[in-house]
Amino acid sequence: MKKIELVDVGPRDGIQSQSTIVSTSDKIELISRLADSGVKRIEVASFVNPKRVPQMADVELLIERLPKIKETKYIGLVLNEKGLERALDTDLDEINCATVTTDTFCQRNQGKTSQEMMNSLGRMTTIAKKKNRFFGVTIAAAFGCPFEGEVDPTKVLEIAKNLIGLGVDEISIADTIGVAVPTQVTDLVYRLKSVIGEVPLRLHFHNTRNTGIGNVYAAAEAGVRIFDSSCGGLGGCPFAPGATGNVGTEDVLYLFERMGYQTSISMAKLIETSKWLGEVMGQEMPAMLNKAGSFP
Ligand code: ZN
């Protein structure tokens, strides 16, 4: 049976742009519920300036209080060297940094051009490796940019090649603003595979234009086995206008379960978690399966 790994990014990407501030204890409950549902990797927070992203003001406190669960790995997102320093001071299992394909978006997101960010990633990879910490990198806006429009796939390939040269532990490809279509995904994944070899490839889709599940399917058919998703389908980048939710974990799980893939996640527990999160956020979750339920 083919195995699929889902990384739930809900506690970070899912809630970062929400106006309702989620308490530390509710975040801990969300993360604990996800772990109990069988999610093995959870992106729990980002080390950003709380003035820019108020939802992330409690990162260090949150990580200190997280339950230690064997087999569940916690990931923290960083955007710069200062964030990496903070993350290394915690006992997070994995650190993930982002870079952006286009200069305009990279400047808005991280205050650097794409090339300046690559130079910074060189230093960051060295530091993380010295500390024996798992260090992955996300290439954001890989299928289109809110400011510069079309993104040439060769740009993504070039960044991926440079990251392989640095020796990063994993490469993620993100459709940050949810513009990708499946044919584009198939094409990029096949081209990436020849560049990145055995390094794990993870895909991150937003369902902004309702192509999210189609894109997940296309990537899986092209051989990708690691996907980001967020419980309930919440999500969005604070620095990308009009950005909306990640593909919902329950929706992605349904797709793979019915297609005969093996996952570690309990649908019943996940739907319960999604409903609970809807109550905490005071809104209906955008994902579908929490309303429809699984196969009757
Ligand atoms: Zn995202």
Side-chain angles (χ1 to χ4, degrees):
M1 220 172 163
K2 293 180 282 190
K3 278 188 187 166
I4 284 284
E5 178 180 75
L6 300 185
V7 180
D8 198 293
V9 297
R12 196 278 304 173
D13 203 341
I15 63 170
Q16 68 181 2
S17 305
Q18 304 293 316
S19 52
T20 307
I21 297 290
V22 182
S23 69
T24 308
S25 58
D26 279 341
K27 286 181 187 172
I28 291 170
E29 172 141 15
L30 171 60
I31 294 160
S32 305
R33 280 172 177 264
L34 289 171
D36 185 52
S37 305
V39 182
K40 302 285 183 214
R41 291 171 81 196
I42 305 171
E43 193 173 76
V44 296
S46 62
F47 294 84
V48 287
N49 183 346
K51 283 191 192 120
R52 296 191 79 198
V53 188
Q55 195 73 262
M56 294 296 145
D58 61 349
V59 183
E60 275 86 358
L61 181 71
L62 170 75
I63 292 167
E64 237 179 74
R65 293 190 184 170
L66 284 178
K68 304 268 175 287
I69 303 163
K70 213 183 149 209
E71 291 185 9
T72 304
K73 291 196 167 18
Y74 297 134
I75 310 169
L77 179 75
V78 301
L79 296 180
N80 51 39
E81 291 169 57
K82 179 150 192 297
L84 175 65
E85 256 176 55
R86 286 173 63 196
L88 285 169
D89 278 340
T90 70
D91 60 359
L92 277 175
D93 303 291
E94 299 180 15
I95 297 169
N96 193 67
C97 187
T99 183
V100 190
T101 52
T102 61
D103 287 338
T104 314
F105 195 3
C106 204
Q107 288 276 11
R108 295 213 187 197
N109 204 53
Q110 282 149 284
K112 285 187 168 67
T113 65
S114 203
Q115 184 54 54
E116 285 166 353
M117 198 54 220
M118 186 52 71
N119 301 340
S120 184
L121 281 167
R123 296 189 291 273
M124 291 166 84
T125 311
T126 308
I127 295 167
K129 284 198 162 293
K130 254 188 208 157
K131 303 258 179 183
N132 285 319
R133 205 72 69 96
F134 184 104
F135 188 72
V137 177
T138 292
I139 305 173
F143 299 94
C145 168
F147 310 106
E148 296 187 25
E150 300 287 353
V151 169
D152 186 342
T154 55
K155 182 82 215 253
V156 182
L157 296 171
E158 186 195 310
I159 297 173
K161 211 179 208 172
N162 288 335
L163 293 175
I164 292 300
L166 297 180
V168 301
D169 293 308
E170 183 181 61
I171 292 180
S172 304
I173 301 296
D175 183 20
T176 312
I177 57 165
V179 288
V181 294
T183 42
Q184 204 182 358
V185 173
T186 305
D187 175 62
L188 185 61
V189 169
Y190 278 119
R191 291 168 76 174
L192 274 165
K193 282 171 109 181
S194 63
V195 169
I196 70 169
E198 295 300 304
V199 174
L201 177 63
R202 176 175 148 196
L203 270 283
H204 177 107
F205 291 113
H206 282 260
N207 199 31
T208 318
R209 291 169 179 80
N210 218 16
T211 54
I213 287 287
N215 292 335
V216 169
Y217 172 74
E221 287 289 287
V224 175
R225 294 292 176 264
I226 314 170
F227 290 93
D228 286 358
S229 57
S230 88
C231 180
L234 280 182
C237 172
F239 311 116
T244 52
N246 293 90
V247 285
T249 306
E250 56 267 51
D251 295 357
V252 177
L253 182 63
Y254 180 81
L255 176 82
F256 284 126
E257 273 187 352
R258 295 290 297 166
M259 281 172 65
Y261 283 83
Q262 188 187 337
T263 77
S264 58
I265 305 171
S266 149
M267 177 65 92
K269 284 184 175 179
L270 192 69
I271 286 180
E272 246 175 66
T273 304
S274 180
K275 286 182 173 165
W276 170 86
L277 183 59
E279 282 165 27
V280 171
M281 303 310 295
Q283 59 171 278
E284 195 178 305
M285 294 288 101
M288 310 290 281
L289 262 285
N290 60 66
K291 298 179 269 286
S294 198
F295 192 77

